[in-house]
Amino acid sequence: MKLYWRKEKVYHWVKQCLATTGKGPFMQNPKIRNMEEFAKASGISRPTVSKYFQDPMSVRRSTRERIETALRTYDYQPNIYAMNQNRRRTNSIGIIVPNLADPFFTEIGRVVELACIDAGYSPIVRSSHGKPAQETANLEALKALKPAGILLAPFGRASDRDHVRAFAETVPMVLFDADIEEAGAAFVGTDNVQSIGLMTDYLCRTGEPPCLFEMRTPLNPNANKRRLAYLAGMERHGHEPRIVHAEGSGWSIEEFGLREGRRLLEDGAFPSRTILCSNDRLAIGLLSAAFGLGIKVGHGSDCELRIAGHDDHPFSRFTCPSLTTIAQDYGAIAELAVQQIAQVIETESMPCEREISLFDGKLVMRESA
């Protein structure tokens, strides 16, 4: 009786395996090498299988369940790269930033990436590692993957503008953070006139009018807009604008702020005890220089210097003292940039007029000014 019961159990097990997989329990499934073999093994047409992999909800529920059962049975994974090469356009969006080693671009790149995911796209993030030539190489590498569109935070002045313009004529593109007017692509960023004006007003209202500390050869075109906004702000308040330059060129901006800031402080070359830095990275270096010289920074009566920046760099609230700055609305910039690229992708046409969308900056008052 006991032996008979065991035979019955084995019989039902084999029967169940044959019913669900079409194979006995000890038979191995053949290796599936491509989508054609998977379609044949699963008993579903090749076009339907391909449609499922592009959008599972585009096929009927019963078909979807059959495909998913076959996927579990054969443990098949499609070659997405090969699928993309056979399509006119993929669901991928390339995101290029100047340098992911810079926490500012790490953060804004992260926010843009998440916005793409929320919109149903597959983002591909690439860094240009501080090298304009790599920006061009990144565009070409992404073009080979047939992306639906590109979101580019360009170097600006150092970018190969002719190449960016030619690329934007063949692949949907939206620029963010820094603009290249010649590219013809839509731009989403911060209103530097408003943001620097806001900071200039605050510093003039609360103490000695500021001088502007900037790189002599800035990498980003935003620096030029901020200088013009500073000049306009000082004129509006009836003060003489005074600009001090840090020598050096490259991506080591904190190092330039430290080295040049120390030299200028030692020489008494800053014409004001209030210093507005063109960006937070320069301000972080200047704060370090002041600390090394024993100069107390802040807005207290016992402080010798006030220092402010722009960008709300991820490290700015951790400096000592914490840095007064302007915060950019990363979330709004990312959301609108993705909306605009999606519109171009869906309509397959560029707007008649180039769109420029600017968001106000927000004053963040901390201990340094």
Side-chain angles (χ1 to χ4, degrees):
M1 185 68 180
K2 189 173 183 180
L3 180 62
Y4 173 77
W5 180 85
R6 287 179 176 173
K7 287 182 177 179
E8 282 292 305
K9 189 174 182 179
V10 170
Y11 169 76
H12 285 295
W13 176 45
V14 172
K15 185 177 180 181
Q16 184 179 16
C17 288
L18 288 170
T20 56
T21 68
K23 299 181 181 297
F26 305 108
M27 297 174 64
Q28 292 184 346
N29 291 320
K31 182 176 179 60
I32 302 297
R33 294 171 297 182
N34 52 50
M35 196 178 297
E36 284 74 12
E37 291 185 358
F38 174 76
K40 183 177 181 180
S42 61
I44 301 170
S45 70
R46 169 66 169 77
T48 300
V49 170
S50 177
K51 188 178 180 182
Y52 168 84
F53 284 125
Q54 293 180 32
D55 180 8
M57 302 307 294
S58 65
V59 301
R60 290 181 298 178
R61 180 178 178 180
S62 58
T63 303
R64 187 165 65 249
E65 291 175 350
R66 288 178 60 194
I67 293 174
E68 290 170 354
T69 298
L71 284 172
R72 290 192 295 270
T73 301
Y74 298 107
D75 192 27
Y76 170 68
Q77 292 293 330
N79 186 331
I80 300 299
Y81 178 79
M83 290 172 59
N84 287 345
Q85 295 307 300
N86 292 326
R87 295 168 62 187
R88 184 171 61 89
R89 188 184 76 198
T90 71
N91 198 44
S92 301
I93 289 184
I95 303 170
I96 303 176
V97 297
N99 199 338
L100 281 176
D102 181 343
F104 170 79
F105 287 111
T106 300
E107 178 61 16
I108 195 169
R110 181 187 70 85
V111 175
V112 172
E113 180 183 16
L114 290 174
C116 286
I117 294 172
D118 289 343
Y121 292 98
S122 300
I124 304 173
V125 182
R126 300 192 71 130
S127 171
S128 297
H129 304 294
K131 301 176 181 178
Q134 186 60 46
E135 178 178 274
T136 301
N138 283 338
L139 287 170
E140 289 304 304
L142 287 169
K143 188 175 183 178
L145 298 177
K146 300 182 181 178
I150 296 290
L151 293 171
L152 172 64
F155 286 99
R157 175 184 297 179
S159 295
D160 185 339
R161 299 187 175 206
D162 290 339
H163 184 269
V164 174
R165 182 183 65 251
F167 189 94
E169 292 174 353
T170 59
V171 179
M173 176 184 287
V174 170
L175 306 176
F176 67 99
D177 181 62
D179 194 10
I180 299 179
E181 295 181 7
E182 304 95 307
F187 170 67
V188 183
T190 296
D191 186 345
N192 288 287
V193 174
Q194 177 273 338
S195 59
I196 288 293
L198 182 64
M199 179 61 82
T200 304
D201 290 347
Y202 167 74
L203 294 175
C204 288
R205 185 175 66 248
T206 57
E208 186 176 351
C211 61
L212 178 67
F213 185 39
E214 65 171 8
M215 298 296 299
R216 187 176 295 278
T217 54
L219 294 174
N220 194 299
N222 289 330
N224 299 322
K225 296 176 182 177
R226 293 173 188 178
R227 183 192 315 110
L228 294 175
Y230 164 76
L231 294 173
M234 293 294 282
E235 181 180 357
R236 185 169 60 251
H237 285 277
H239 299 303
E240 180 185 355
R242 292 164 293 185
I243 299 176
V244 181
H245 291 112
E247 302 297 336
S249 178
W251 212 258
S252 302
I253 301 174
E254 293 90 352
E255 181 181 337
F256 300 140
L258 171 60
R259 185 192 67 207
E260 291 294 288
R262 184 181 183 92
R263 177 180 65 82
L264 293 164
L265 287 170
E266 287 180 326
D267 294 345
F270 285 109
S272 172
R273 290 178 299 173
T274 300
I275 305 172
L276 171 55
C277 298
S278 183
N279 59 70
D280 283 356
R281 295 186 64 189
L282 198 61
I284 289 171
L286 181 59
L287 283 171
S288 181
F291 177 81
L293 293 173
I295 299 174
K296 188 171 183 179
V297 177
H299 47 71
S301 58
D302 59 336
C303 295
E304 304 173 61
L305 205 63
R306 293 194 303 162
I307 296 175
H310 189 290
D311 293 339
D312 199 19
H313 188 285
F315 294 165
S316 62
R317 61 193 178 101
F318 299 115
T319 57
C320 188
S322 56
L323 183 63
T324 292
T325 186
I326 291 290
Q328 301 190 53
D329 195 341
Y330 297 155
I333 290 172
E335 184 177 349
L336 183 58
V338 174
Q339 287 178 4
Q340 290 190 346
I341 196 72
Q343 183 179 10
V344 175
I345 293 168
E346 294 304 319
T347 60
E348 298 186 347
S349 62
M350 296 294 291
C352 296
E353 295 185 3
R354 181 172 182 259
E355 295 185 41
I356 299 177
S357 305
L358 303 178
F359 290 90
D360 287 351
K362 178 182 177 182
L363 177 64
V364 181
M365 293 179 287
R366 297 195 180 108
E367 298 173 354
S368 70

